[in-house]
Amino acid sequence: MDQHTPRPSNLFYLSSLRRPVVDRAEGIYLWTEGGRRFIDGSSGPVAVNLGYGNPAVLEAMRRQMERTTFAYRLHFENEPAEELAHTLAERLPAGLDRIFFVSGGSEAVESCIKLARQWAVATGQKNRWKVIARMPSYHGGTYGSLAVTGDGLLTDTFAEQILMMPTVPAPTAYRDRDNLSMDERGVRYADMLEEKILVEGPDSVLAFIMEPIGGAATGALVAPESYYPRIREICDRHGILLIHDEVMSGVGRTGRMLGGDHWNCRPDIVSLSKGIGSGYVPLGALAAPERIVRPVVAMGGFQHGHTYAGNPLACAAGLAIMGEMDRLGLIDNAARMGDVLIDGLRGLARRFPFIADVRGKGLMTAIEYADRETFAPLPAAWKIGQRILDAAYARGLIIYSRRVKGGVQGDYTMVAPPLIVTREEVGEIVSVLGDSIAAVAGDLDLPVEG
Ligand SMILES: Cc1ncc(COP(=O)(O)O)c(C=O)c1O
């Protein structure tokens, strides 16, 4: 195969190599047409929570396909969408029981922002339109979600076409080298939100959007405990809605239904996606309380929609996925296997002194490469995260790697296998990752201990 022959479905061929063609997938493994096996240590883009080829989900999809794959939401209600909405509402923090289904994460984020805005208009707060976001952060690839995405590499090309929203620093407290305790740092980061609100004018601020546990832009970033309640307090004080983007961290990924549940967070609106479709169908959702939905409905209804919103086939799959998550106890498994995984990654940090941080919750974890003392990034030219990703791929292990701002704001590997992962499989992932890091350390002449 010519590694650079363009394929019609791939717009990246000038910069990236061709990939092997997938043949089939089962559990946490994928096989190529040539019979090579890959272990999925990242659940695709941290999405395939249930693992591949679950028979109950496939059967539920088949049953729904035989009835109908589509019925337009403005013409018909459908049972799978209603049941899935109930199922989600039962598992979400109290009051988040009005659900609007979409087809992915960017759509979910945009829907949250539009619902917030329409609520403000419907309640006589037309001046409120700014949505403060964090830098760095990732909220999606469409224009509305890019407007709140804190990553110049992704937004600069399009900036003239977007009304970029104000940002505050993401709470990367693990990196700070000051004399403050973690809790003091958490408060300091949260207070930056209040300072920003005051600068922007509190009456013009509609919402604050954040990933409770950081995803692509911050690699499983967990803020100090004090951050979460303080953010809630600040939003309440200024009448600002708190939107939690749980597209990656939600639906059991971190060992709780929502990432924010670790701190009993009470967001006003939540976006979900990845885990609820789990790679079986394109599916996303927003969840909001009646008090936000009612004025919007009274105004004539949510001025928003997509052709595939509330699609019966997608929702039937989503319902079966939630059923399997319960039956297999996957949220608990994520918590248990997450502990095993973090232990394994800490072992790697003991071997490789250029691993400066190991973090995460449940099966959303990351290791960051930097100088351990100063947290200075490693030389950008080393492209260490990419090299480790390539070395792992060559060994049949898929991980998720990302550098933020050319590595200046972090160069890391995310490890986030499907929630069905077993202790033995976690061991295999850590072992192959260790071999991959050792190979790269050898190439770059980096120190290795033990
Ligand atoms: C936190 C977060 N929000 C939104 C998105 C966008 O989701 P999608 O790629 O499904 O549009 C992502 C995707 O990685 C994400 O991690």
Side-chain angles (χ1 to χ4, degrees):
M1 175 172 78
D2 175 354
Q3 292 287 294
H4 294 283
T5 309
R7 301 214 90 189
S9 72
N10 184 357
L11 297 192
F12 293 100
Y13 59 82
L14 288 179
S15 61
S16 66
L17 289 180
R18 293 269 302 272
R19 290 298 195 190
V21 178
V22 68
D23 178 33
R24 65 188 184 88
E26 196 182 322
I28 71 163
Y29 298 96
L30 301 105
W31 287 264
T32 69
E33 278 184 347
R36 252 189 94 193
R37 193 195 77 162
F38 284 83
I39 181 166
D40 193 348
S42 72
S43 308
V46 198
V48 187
N49 286 9
L50 190 58
Y52 299 90
N54 178 289
V57 176
L58 298 181
E59 181 51 30
M61 289 175 71
R62 248 178 247 119
R63 275 201 310 272
Q64 182 58 42
M65 278 192 271
E66 276 160 17
R67 298 173 72 183
T68 181
T69 56
F70 187 76
Y72 185 41
R73 139 189 94 85
L74 297 184
H75 299 159
F76 296 98
E77 297 181 358
N78 73 74
E79 271 312 307
E82 291 311 311
E83 272 188 59
L84 180 56
H86 278 296
T87 303
L88 289 174
E90 274 169 12
R91 289 157 178 75
L92 293 173
L96 289 173
D97 53 8
R98 300 297 300 267
I99 315 284
F100 184 79
F101 289 111
V102 293
S103 303
S106 304
E107 280 187 12
V109 166
E110 298 224 2
S111 305
C112 292
I113 295 172
K114 286 181 75 177
L115 183 71
R117 169 63 184 165
Q118 201 179 335
W119 165 82
V121 172
T123 54
Q125 306 178 75
K126 209 164 187 296
N127 280 346
R128 289 193 189 268
W129 58 273
K130 294 175 189 164
V131 179
I132 300 178
R134 301 198 313 197
M135 176 70 79
S137 61
Y138 185 70
H139 294 292
T142 53
Y143 279 90
S145 56
L146 274 182
V148 290
T149 284
D151 187 341
L153 283 180
L154 299 176
T155 58
D156 284 355
T157 305
F158 308 100
E160 285 80 2
Q161 297 175 299
I162 314 173
L163 191 56
M164 289 303 298
M165 293 288 142
T167 58
V168 291
T172 50
Y174 66 94
R175 232 183 243 169
D176 294 345
R177 294 293 176 267
D178 52 30
N179 293 324
L180 300 181
S181 68
M182 271 298 180
D183 272 347
E184 287 167 337
R185 287 182 192 157
V187 169
R188 191 170 60 83
Y189 277 103
D191 286 349
M192 290 180 198
L193 172 63
E194 186 150 46
E195 286 155 26
K196 186 57 108 184
I197 291 168
L198 296 175
V199 168
E200 294 292 332
D203 294 345
S204 72
V205 180
L206 171 64
F208 175 54
I209 184 165
M210 65 177 228
E211 302 154 85
I213 299 177
T218 46
L221 174 68
V222 178
E225 292 225 344
S226 57
Y227 179 81
Y228 299 90
R230 185 79 160 199
I231 289 285
R232 180 68 267 179
E233 211 181 288
I234 292 167
C235 289
D236 284 346
R237 189 154 49 241
H238 297 284
I240 289 167
L241 296 180
L242 177 57
I243 302 175
H244 273 189
D245 182 354
E246 295 262 10
V247 163
M248 192 181 275
S249 54
V251 201
R253 165 60 54 193
T254 69
R256 304 292 282 266
M257 176 64 184
L258 294 182
D261 291 351
H262 290 280
W263 302 275
N264 293 319
C265 292
R266 292 178 296 105
D268 295 300
I269 312 181
V270 167
S271 60
L272 300 171
S273 183
K274 299 186 184 264
I276 50 171
S278 218
Y280 290 82
V281 283
L283 185 60
L286 76 69
E290 179 66 19
R291 75 186 145 78
I292 290 179
V293 171
R294 196 182 319 113
V296 169
V297 170
M299 191 182 160
F302 192 16
Q303 294 166 3
H304 181 60
H306 296 280
T307 299
Y308 292 103
N311 174 264
L313 177 59
C315 291
L319 196 56
I321 289 163
M322 294 307 296
E324 285 295 90
M325 298 261 307
D326 285 352
R327 189 181 69 81
L328 300 168
L330 293 188
I331 298 187
D332 287 346
N333 194 56
R336 277 196 311 274
M337 290 306 112
D339 288 344
V340 177
L341 177 58
I342 283 277
D343 271 356
L345 298 177
R346 292 212 174 104
L348 296 183
R350 284 192 289 278
R351 258 171 87 190
F352 304 110
F354 49 93
I355 296 179
D357 193 47
V358 174
R359 58 176 176 269
K361 285 264 184 213
L363 288 171
M364 190 165 168
T365 69
I367 50 180
E368 182 158 343
Y369 313 107
D371 181 288
R372 208 174 271 177
E373 293 309 312
T374 63
F375 234 93
L378 302 183
W382 288 2
K383 295 191 173 158
I384 188 158
Q386 182 63 40
R387 275 176 191 258
I388 290 168
L389 177 120
D390 291 342
Y393 197 84
R395 288 164 177 74
L397 169 67
I398 298 166
I399 49 173
Y400 192 93
S401 208
R402 183 102 190 289
R403 58 204 323 233
V404 178
K405 269 203 166 173
V408 175
Q409 286 187 359
D411 201 341
Y412 56 77
T413 294
M414 263 179 105
V415 187
L419 277 44
I420 54 168
V421 75
T422 63
R423 187 178 290 270
E424 292 68 36
E425 289 167 337
V426 170
E428 185 183 350
I429 290 169
V430 172
S431 156
V432 180
L433 181 58
D435 293 347
S436 312
I437 299 175
V440 171
D443 290 348
L444 292 172
D445 221 3
L446 288 169
V448 175
E449 277 162 22

